[in-house]
């Protein structure tokens, strides 16, 4: 089903997507199968307050790449709510807004292991846990026991509902893709062809990202 309004179990992939890569897409697909979601909404951040901004492309550009990456997939959609809101964007506000828009739906916030370990430093983590089920995937070869330990800790502290999933280790990050571009190396197969064409056409990530 292509319309998010009809989805009962909505997966949410938040990220800077600077740029979106196949790790994100595979994780969305994996999570959808694992939790039997109706679809996944990809939501690029506005200007993430936790990120080093020097290399961060404008939200509109990261959104454009996200749209290209998912355009051929009916059960993936992109939402511009964080980019449109501008400024620092907070996951708890996004989840609130989604709950207001789709009150019948269950929200599954999909994150890689790095985010499971940083989420307590995000803005009002207790509000995040109130609004969604966290679907946390392994990343970077981090042992599952560590994830389970963190899961127990967050469940005790916040009453969080957290599902862990053993996502295969895919050593791809946007940081690595940006580095490859700076070094003049190829990003073929790391991002969808449409995204690679866009990045190359615009000359992004070669030196100063703000072209
Ligand atoms: P950067 O290197 O700029 O931080 P990133 O590759 O980590 O980029 P983000 O946009 O920061 O991508 O991540 C969005 C979400 O996708 C996060 O929850 C992150 O943990 C997850 N994610 C990204 N890449 C992977 C991967 N290879 N395996 C598992 N999860 C991933
Ligand atoms: Mg990251």
């Amino acid at each position: 089903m292509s319309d998010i309004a009809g989805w009962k179990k909505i997966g949410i992939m938040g990220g800077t997507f600077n740029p979106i890569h196949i790790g994100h897409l595979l994780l969305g697909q994996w999570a959808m199968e694992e939790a039997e979601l109706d679809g996944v909404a990809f939501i690029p951040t506005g200007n993430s307050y936790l990120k080093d901004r020097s290399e961060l492309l404008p939200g509109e550009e990261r959104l454009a790449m996200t749209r290209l990456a998912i355009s051929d997939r009916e059960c993936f959609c992109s939402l511009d709510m964080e980019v449109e809101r501008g400024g620092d964007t907070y996951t708890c506000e996004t989840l609130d807004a989604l709950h207001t828009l789709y009150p019948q739906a269950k929200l599954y916030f999909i994150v890689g292991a790095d985010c499971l370990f940083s989420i307590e430093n995000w803005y009002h983590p207790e509000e995040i846990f109130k609004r969604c089920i966290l679907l946390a995937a392994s990343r970077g070869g981090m042992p599952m026991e560590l994830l389970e330990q963190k899961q127990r800790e967050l469940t005790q502290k916040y009453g969080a509902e957290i599902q862990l999933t053993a996502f295969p280790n895919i050593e791809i990050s946007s940081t690595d893709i940006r580095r490859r571009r700076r070094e003049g190396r190829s990003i073929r197969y790391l991002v969808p062809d449409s995204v690679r064409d866009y990045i190359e056409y615009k000359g992004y990530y070669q030196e100063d990202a703000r072209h």
Side-chain angles (χ1 to χ4, degrees):
M1 201 186 315
S2 59
D3 186 7
I4 186 173
W7 298 353
K8 293 193 174 62
K9 292 169 80 175
I10 302 177
I12 298 151
M13 278 281 301
T16 38
F17 303 138
N18 185 40
I20 190 161
H21 54 70
I22 60 160
H24 299 126
L25 299 168
L26 281 168
L27 180 55
Q29 177 67 28
W30 180 272
M32 203 167 74
E33 290 173 17
E34 281 282 295
E36 299 182 323
L37 308 174
D38 295 297
V40 178
F42 289 74
I43 310 182
T45 55
N47 290 320
S48 176
Y49 68 108
L50 292 174
K51 288 261 176 173
D52 169 13
R53 289 171 195 228
S54 60
E55 277 196 309
L56 192 65
L57 286 181
E60 291 72 20
E61 290 304 300
R62 290 178 287 107
L63 177 67
M65 293 187 283
T66 304
R67 284 188 174 137
L68 286 172
I70 61 158
S71 63
D72 59 350
R73 194 84 173 93
E74 273 213 350
C75 50
F76 284 176
C77 72
S78 60
L79 297 177
D80 63 4
M81 52 201 299
E82 295 201 357
V83 168
E84 284 298 311
R85 198 157 67 224
D88 288 342
T89 49
Y90 302 111
T91 298
C92 62
E93 292 177 356
T94 300
L95 292 171
D96 258 350
L98 286 171
H99 176 70
T100 306
L101 284 168
Y102 313 112
Q104 310 304 333
K106 247 188 179 179
L107 303 178
Y108 290 75
F109 189 59
I110 305 160
V111 295
D114 52 313
C115 296
L116 182 68
F117 283 83
S118 65
I119 198 162
E120 275 193 280
N121 304 324
W122 297 10
Y123 189 65
H124 286 296
E126 71 287 355
E127 297 297 324
I128 298 177
F129 293 127
K130 231 182 264 173
R131 279 276 175 252
C132 71
I133 296 167
L134 199 67
L135 202 53
S138 40
R139 182 178 190 185
M142 190 183 286
M144 215 48 185
E145 299 80 69
L146 281 184
L147 269 76
E148 283 163 3
Q149 198 180 322
K150 195 70 192 171
Q151 176 191 35
R152 280 193 296 276
E153 198 184 307
L154 294 172
T155 303
Q156 267 172 18
K157 194 163 168 190
Y158 299 99
E161 196 176 333
I162 301 172
Q163 291 178 17
L164 300 182
T165 174
F167 185 59
N169 190 19
I170 294 165
E171 293 280 354
I172 298 176
S173 68
S174 303
T175 302
D176 178 53
I177 288 164
R178 295 192 301 271
R179 188 185 308 121
R180 283 173 164 272
R181 287 285 295 159
R182 278 199 306 276
E183 294 172 352
R185 296 164 68 196
S186 171
I187 57 169
R188 189 185 285 273
Y189 308 130
L190 297 172
V191 299
D193 283 346
S194 54
V195 174
R196 178 174 56 94
D197 287 347
Y198 190 83
I199 290 172
E200 287 179 358
Y201 173 74
K202 294 269 191 167
Y204 282 151
Y205 307 121
Q206 277 175 318
E207 294 154 36
D208 183 353
R210 292 169 187 276
H211 296 273

